[in-house]
Amino acid sequence: MRGCIKVYNTAEKLVSEIIKPGLCSGCGACIGYCPYIKSYGERVGVVHDCGKSEGTCYKICPRAVTNYDDLREVIYGSSESDPVFGHFEGIYYARAGDESIRRVGQYGGVVTALSIFALETGIIECALMTGSNFARPKPFIAASAGEMQACAGSKYTASPNLSLFQEAIKKGYQNIGIVGRPCQCTAARKMQQVEAIKGERISFIIGLFCMGSLSPEFLKFIKDRRFDEYEKMDIPGDVKFLKDHQETSIQYDEIREYIRDSCQICYDPLSELADLSVGSTEYDYGWNTLIIRTAKGSHLAEDAVANGIIEIKEYPAERLSLLRKAVFNKKKRVLGRPDASYLEFSDKERLYFLTNGGDA
Ligand SMILES: Cc1cc2nc3c(=O)[nH]c(=O)nc-3n(C[C@H](O)[C@H](O)[C@H](O)COP(=O)(O)OP(=O)(O)OC[C@H]3O[C@@H](n4cnc5c(N)ncnc54)[C@H](O)[C@@H]3O)c2cc1C
């Protein structure tokens, strides 16, 4: 404080508005430009105030004020979009054409197959992904097909992949791909607009569906319960751990307490701002849901289908209405929370949720 005038400081704002109230999503976007912001595993902390009034950290944070209409305008040339699914050109069931990718993929391996295809066709030179396994997730710059395949599989904690963006810049990559949760896609879209950090080098974004990620304490929980000895984890209702055809499961309620507070105010379970969004089908676990959102995403997906990289099939109408209902309910819940005040979009969109029921 200087006299009675509060000195505006970006790092201080990041701490008081985002980190202290527990709203940090662990995306990693604020790490790497500023010597005062550090990550400890999947926790982010500001070790010193910077005194800067116009810093990047706050500007690109997905939990700082986020005007969806402005971002949509920049990405799609219009702020109009489906209030539940976001802007999209098509929704399909999809799976990787290559059986070896399907085997390592979380579901149909579409993210891995499309990332490798984007690499091999020169759209990206590397992608920020999550390496290792679900018990020891590690942000990773994957720059070969083998490295991308090694990153396959979901790790359900935050994995601050965007923390490696500056390292990718230092390595000289001009076209950087992002694979990330919805908050990471939002941050990546904000980063694209910041020349000072070379955000324009983000050239393709594959977003994951995400109804919530787990806190770093979850990693201790699985270690204590020795679930870290398993190879794969999945959350289709119950929580499953799998290894060599062995499977064990626990009830979802046992891990509910580990959901990050920040995820409770997430309005975007389908990575609306990505070029392509990919999730499960919650029905057939050998397939993914693929949402095509941008022209760039559409070209890549069309080429991938033409070259046998992925197979697609029609989305069953009854499954689509279930997805719509789940996303509608999540968004409506979030809009009712006082701590979701960072969200900005038209009154029309807000009214849609306030005046409709789950079958809208
Ligand atoms: C925290 C979390 C929550 C999710 N919740 C849902 C959900 O509620 N409903 C749903 O339908 N789908 C959810 N998903 C997405 C789903 O688990 C699959 O990632 C998605 O369907 C893609 O499947 P795939 O077979 O194409 O993946 P793969 O081909 O195996 O590729 C997965 C990719 O995801 C990356 N990745 C893994 N973990 C993370 C992470 N923590 N952060 C960023 N990138 C990561 C890997 O690097 C890899 O590139 C969630 C994913 C995560 C990480």
Side-chain angles (χ1 to χ4, degrees):
M1 300 281 274
R2 203 176 284 156
C4 59
I5 301 167
K6 181 110 175 69
V7 179
Y8 174 78
N9 169 325
T10 359
E12 191 184 286
K13 229 166 135 73
L14 193 75
V15 172
S16 64
E17 289 183 19
I18 314 289
I19 298 178
K20 271 209 180 129
L23 302 183
C24 172
S25 72
C27 74
C30 60
I31 296 163
Y33 327 98
C34 165
Y36 301 145
I37 305 179
K38 306 272 182 211
S39 63
Y40 307 92
E42 299 197 343
R43 284 188 188 84
V44 175
V46 177
V47 293
H48 202 289
D49 278 348
C50 65
K52 271 195 178 176
S53 60
E54 262 298 315
T56 301
C57 62
Y58 188 77
K59 204 186 288 180
I60 61 178
C61 174
R63 292 293 180 261
V65 175
T66 301
N67 188 307
Y68 273 84
D69 288 341
D70 287 353
L71 287 170
R72 288 172 186 145
E73 192 78 49
V74 171
I75 303 164
Y76 315 112
S78 161
S79 59
E80 287 294 316
S81 73
D82 181 299
V84 178
F85 289 152
H87 180 95
F88 69 96
E89 297 187 6
I91 303 187
Y92 303 93
Y93 269 22
R95 68 175 186 180
D98 182 338
E99 209 271 324
S100 71
I101 294 182
R102 291 207 298 271
R103 216 175 312 121
V104 293
Q106 186 68 18
Y107 299 118
V110 166
V111 171
T112 303
L114 290 177
S115 302
I116 293 174
F117 190 56
L119 181 80
E120 290 177 343
T121 51
I123 292 167
I124 57 173
E125 297 156 69
C126 71
L128 307 189
M129 294 184 148
T130 305
S132 190
N133 74 359
F134 72 91
R136 283 165 284 274
K138 241 185 144 16
F140 188 76
I141 302 174
S144 68
E147 287 176 347
M148 288 182 172
Q149 191 151 336
C151 286
S154 298
K155 294 88 183 175
Y156 288 95
T157 52
S159 186
N161 295 354
L162 295 176
S163 63
L164 294 180
F165 182 67
Q166 279 310 300
E167 199 177 315
I169 295 287
K170 279 189 202 125
K171 287 186 171 187
Y173 294 119
Q174 301 295 320
N175 294 297
I176 299 168
I178 305 290
V179 171
R181 295 172 294 116
C183 51
Q184 292 171 316
C185 299
T186 306
R189 286 302 185 192
K190 292 184 175 185
M191 288 162 73
Q192 275 180 326
Q193 297 176 53
V194 184
E195 255 178 68
I197 59 166
K198 299 192 166 47
E200 70 284 356
R201 292 202 198 170
I202 294 175
S203 55
F204 202 85
I205 303 175
I206 301 184
L208 307 173
F209 290 9
C210 178
M211 284 284 183
S213 69
L214 303 169
S215 67
E217 289 75 29
F218 174 72
L219 296 174
K220 182 171 180 318
F221 166 81
I222 47 181
K223 198 160 181 242
D224 291 347
R225 296 281 295 267
R226 301 185 66 177
F227 293 132
D228 58 338
E229 293 167 4
Y230 287 80
E231 284 160 6
K232 185 172 175 178
M233 173 180 159
D234 196 9
I235 315 187
D238 284 350
V239 182
K240 286 197 167 74
F241 298 93
L242 305 113
K243 162 176 81 173
D244 301 330
H245 307 293
Q246 275 181 55
E247 181 180 311
T248 190
S249 61
I250 57 173
Q251 294 210 326
Y252 188 75
D253 275 348
E254 282 202 62
I255 67 160
R256 199 179 288 279
E257 67 178 285
Y258 299 111
I259 296 175
R260 281 185 166 244
D261 289 345
S262 169
C263 302
Q264 313 288 358
I265 58 161
C266 172
Y267 176 74
D268 177 21
L270 303 183
S271 285
E272 282 181 33
L273 303 179
D275 290 300
L276 297 170
S277 307
V278 186
S280 73
T281 63
E282 299 224 340
Y283 177 67
D284 183 340
Y285 291 98
W287 291 77
N288 288 106
T289 297
L290 169 66
I291 306 185
I292 295 170
R293 298 196 179 276
T294 61
K296 234 181 193 181
S298 176
H299 290 146
L300 184 80
E302 272 172 25
D303 274 5
V305 171
N307 286 282
I309 303 297
I310 59 167
E311 295 169 41
I312 58 171
K313 61 182 183 182
E314 203 177 316
Y315 210 93
E318 72 282 6
R319 303 295 318 169
L320 201 58
S321 59
L322 288 177
L323 180 63
R324 183 172 280 279
K325 193 170 180 174
V327 176
F328 178 95
N329 287 338
K330 162 78 171 150
K331 286 187 161 188
K332 185 166 178 144
R333 244 184 349 261
V334 169
L335 290 180
R337 292 180 62 109
D339 49 357
S341 56
Y342 73 105
L343 294 166
E344 286 187 355
F345 38 67
S346 66
D347 290 343
K348 189 172 143 206
E349 184 163 337
R350 206 170 279 274
L351 264 176
Y352 177 86
F353 290 96
L354 296 179
T355 54
N356 282 303
D359 295 319

